[in-house]
């Protein structure tokens, strides 16, 4: 019995030893696993840090040199196409980083077409902001008061590379006129009678994005025309009613005044002459309307020029011409609403001013005096 108990104690003590060795091994393995996790975390953090530094480098400005580069982004360009254009112009360091950043920001579908002025000194984020906000190259254009459609077409062709033919065609296209003017139908008794947008494109100084379309620039100028009238001549409806003029008649008369007047103080007097002649049933006999037929190319009109058969020849036809002959200034628009004098004639003195007379006899004397 004693030997049996002794044997059992030995076996028990052996298990204990084996158990202790097993626990020791498990602790050793667990320690190795913890060390491996720590190493992996350190390496991963290091790689992330290195990746972040690389990303910062690739997204940083290509150069510190502040030089301007004109870039054109065609309409419908994908993010990949835009990246190629930027890379070809040395504006970004990595096409892949640029595209990945766009996608992460959710802006890969929001790049706007047009002409842009960019620089290698811009960061990738600056460039993304410019392209997604459409902050394109803006061209300063001054449209002089009294410009005709052909004048504007030439100016836009020269400054913005627009098509002169398309610009003029749109301004005389009845469907396009209807689509634009229906937003301003309350100004007219019937805007559908308009055959041209001559006179309705407001002359001023603008900054247009290069790449703007002909139809968009026309719509913008028309909107500005009505905005200016509402802001600066809000009483126009009452004045037109008192003068018994339609809205379009007003613009036509103002355009004639614009071309005839050279000094501001004479605009109301010239407007008065034309309104007085209309009331008496006289022909307007405005040289400016005849010059419009000749595209204002004649510096001096001859008597034979006054014989041209055109509805714009107010030496032959009574009443107003079919449309405005240019884009009038606010001063000319105001002059028609507030005419002055009871004159029926005026003669240019050659210095920009005129001699105003009430009778034909006085008019003939003024012509002799001018000579």
């Amino acid at each position: 019995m004693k030997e049996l108990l002794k044997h059992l104690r030995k076996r028990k003590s052996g298990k204990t030893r084996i158990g202790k060795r097993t626990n020791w091994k498990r602790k050793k393995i667990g320690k190795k696993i913890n060390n491996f996790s720590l190493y992996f975390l350190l390496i991963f953090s290091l790689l992330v840090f290195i990746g972040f530094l690389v990303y910062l480098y690739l997204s940083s400005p290509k150069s510190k040199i502040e030089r301007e580069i004109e870039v054109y982004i065609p309409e419908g360009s994908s993010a990949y196409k835009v990246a190629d254009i930027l890379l070809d112009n040395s504006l970004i360091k990595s096409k892949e980083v640029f595209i990945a950043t766009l996608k992460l920001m959710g802006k890969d579908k929001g790049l706007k077409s047009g002409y842009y002025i960019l620089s290698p000194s811009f960061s990738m984020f600056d460039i993304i902001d410019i392209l997604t906000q459409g902050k394109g190259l803006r061209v300063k254009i001054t449209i002089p008061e009294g410009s005709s459609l052909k004048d504007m077409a030439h100016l836009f062709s020269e400054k913005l590379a627009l098509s002169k033919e398309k610009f003029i065609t749109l301004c005389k296209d009845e469907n396009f006129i209807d689509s634009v003017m229906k937003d301003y139908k309350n100004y007219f008794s019937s805007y559908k009678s308009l055959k041209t947008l001559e006179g309705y494109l407001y002359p001023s100084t603008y900054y247009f994005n290069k790449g703007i379309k002909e139809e968009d620039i026309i719509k913008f100028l028309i909107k500005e025309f009505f905005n200016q009238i509402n802001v600066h001549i809000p009483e126009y409806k009452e004045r037109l009613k008192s003068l018994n003029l339609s809205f379009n008649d007003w613009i036509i008369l103002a355009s004639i005044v614009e071309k005839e007047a050279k000094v501001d103080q004479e605009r109301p007097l010239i407007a008065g002459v034309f309104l007085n002649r209309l009331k008496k049933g006289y022909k307007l006999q405005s040289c400016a309307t005849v010059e419009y037929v000749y595209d204002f190319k004649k510096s001096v009109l001859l008597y034979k020029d006054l014989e041209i058969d055109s509805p714009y020849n107010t030496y032959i036809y009574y009443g107003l011409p079919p449309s405005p002959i240019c884009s009038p200034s606010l001063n000319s628009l105001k002059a028609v609403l507030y005419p002055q004098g009871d004159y029926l004639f005026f003669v240019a003195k050659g210095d920009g001013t005129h001699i105003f007379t009430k009778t034909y006899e006085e008019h003939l004397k003024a012509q002799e005096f001018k000579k």
Side-chain angles (χ1 to χ4, degrees):
M1 187 67 177
K2 289 181 180 180
E3 289 180 359
L4 180 60
L5 291 171
K6 188 177 180 181
H7 179 69
L8 290 173
R9 288 192 192 101
K10 286 181 179 181
R11 288 189 65 183
K12 187 176 181 181
S13 61
K15 280 186 177 181
T16 301
R17 284 196 299 273
I18 292 171
K20 286 181 179 180
R21 284 198 297 271
T22 301
N23 289 339
W24 177 79
K25 287 180 180 180
R26 286 177 180 173
K27 288 180 180 180
K28 192 173 183 181
I29 292 171
K31 190 173 183 180
K32 286 182 178 180
I33 291 173
N34 289 336
N35 289 339
F36 177 79
S37 298
L38 181 60
Y39 293 147
F40 176 82
L41 183 61
L42 288 173
I43 293 172
F44 178 78
S45 300
L46 182 61
L47 290 174
V48 170
F49 180 70
I50 293 172
F52 179 69
L53 292 178
V54 171
Y55 178 78
L56 286 179
Y57 168 75
L58 293 176
S59 62
S60 64
K62 177 81 173 180
S63 170
K64 292 183 179 180
I65 301 174
E66 296 183 358
R67 62 188 179 91
E68 294 183 340
I69 298 176
E70 182 176 323
V71 174
Y72 176 62
I73 306 299
E75 191 169 354
S77 296
S78 65
Y80 293 91
K81 174 66 176 176
V82 174
D84 285 335
I85 294 171
L86 296 176
L87 194 62
D88 291 342
N89 285 277
S90 299
L91 290 165
I92 57 174
K93 295 176 180 177
S94 170
K95 172 182 176 179
E96 291 73 21
V97 169
F98 178 80
I99 293 172
T101 304
L102 280 175
K103 291 184 175 181
L104 285 171
M105 297 174 71
K107 295 184 176 181
D108 54 314
K109 303 292 184 182
L111 301 176
K112 293 179 170 57
S113 61
Y115 286 85
Y116 295 86
I117 289 294
L118 302 175
S119 170
S121 63
F122 293 174
S123 73
M124 184 181 68
F125 298 102
D126 291 333
I127 293 174
I128 289 174
D129 181 60
I130 291 171
L131 297 182
T132 53
Q133 295 296 321
K135 300 174 182 177
L137 170 61
R138 295 169 71 80
V139 180
K140 181 181 179 180
I141 296 181
T142 298
I143 303 172
E145 295 170 341
S147 295
S148 66
L149 287 181
K150 290 185 178 180
D151 294 332
M152 292 186 194
H154 178 76
L155 185 62
F156 294 141
S157 174
E158 187 179 68
K159 299 288 187 179
L160 296 171
L162 296 183
S163 167
K164 289 189 285 188
E165 294 76 16
K166 184 178 180 181
F167 181 86
I168 293 173
T169 299
L170 282 171
C171 287
K172 295 183 178 181
D173 181 85
E174 291 186 14
N175 292 327
F176 181 72
I177 293 173
D178 181 71
S179 68
V180 174
M181 285 302 191
K182 66 183 180 183
D183 293 333
Y184 309 101
K185 60 184 178 183
N186 293 333
Y187 291 84
F188 304 90
S189 56
S190 176
Y191 72 92
K192 291 184 178 292
S193 62
L194 296 180
K195 303 299 180 184
T196 175
L197 293 174
E198 184 83 79
Y200 289 90
L201 308 184
Y202 189 71
S204 186
T205 296
Y206 300 96
Y207 290 85
F208 292 114
N209 284 349
K210 208 168 180 181
I212 188 172
K213 295 180 180 179
E214 290 82 359
E215 48 265 51
D216 292 330
I217 203 168
I218 292 169
K219 290 176 182 178
F220 184 86
L221 294 178
I222 290 173
K223 183 178 180 180
E224 186 63 15
F225 171 82
F226 286 102
N227 284 342
Q228 290 294 325
I229 287 176
N230 287 327
V231 171
H232 297 286
I233 321 177
E235 76 284 8
Y236 73 91
K237 287 184 180 179
E238 292 76 15
R239 294 301 304 162
L240 289 177
K241 187 175 181 180
S242 67
L243 294 167
N244 195 29
L245 291 174
S246 70
F247 189 88
N248 195 46
D249 289 343
W250 175 31
I251 309 307
I252 293 173
L253 274 170
S255 72
I256 298 174
V257 171
E258 184 66 38
K259 282 299 188 181
E260 293 281 8
K262 303 302 178 185
V263 293
D264 282 342
Q265 59 264 32
E266 286 192 355
R267 292 180 196 273
L269 292 171
I270 292 175
V273 168
F274 290 132
L275 284 168
N276 292 335
R277 292 181 72 86
L278 286 173
K279 288 177 184 178
K280 289 183 175 292
Y282 293 176
K283 295 172 185 174
L284 289 185
Q285 294 187 329
S286 165
C287 291
T289 63
V290 180
E291 290 171 340
Y292 180 71
V293 181
Y294 293 103
D295 293 334
F296 301 108
K297 292 177 181 177
K298 290 181 176 286
S299 56
V300 177
L301 283 178
L302 304 176
Y303 282 110
K304 66 177 182 179
D305 296 326
L306 304 180
E307 297 173 2
I308 187 170
D309 187 6
S310 168
Y312 288 91
N313 186 349
T314 54
Y315 279 88
I316 294 178
Y317 291 93
Y318 286 91
L320 295 171
S323 71
I325 60 174
C326 70
S327 288
S329 63
L330 285 174
N331 285 336
S332 290
L333 289 165
K334 290 177 181 178
V336 174
L337 296 182
Y338 298 96
Q340 294 177 4
D342 53 357
Y343 302 111
L344 290 171
F345 306 91
F346 62 87
V347 176
K349 292 165 62 175
D351 61 355
T353 62
H354 298 82
I355 301 172
F356 294 86
T357 54
K358 299 178 182 180
T359 66
Y360 186 63
E361 289 73 20
E362 291 176 343
H363 178 60
L364 292 176
K365 289 181 181 178
Q367 286 181 322
E368 290 297 322
F369 177 78
K370 186 193 72 168
K371 293 177 182 179

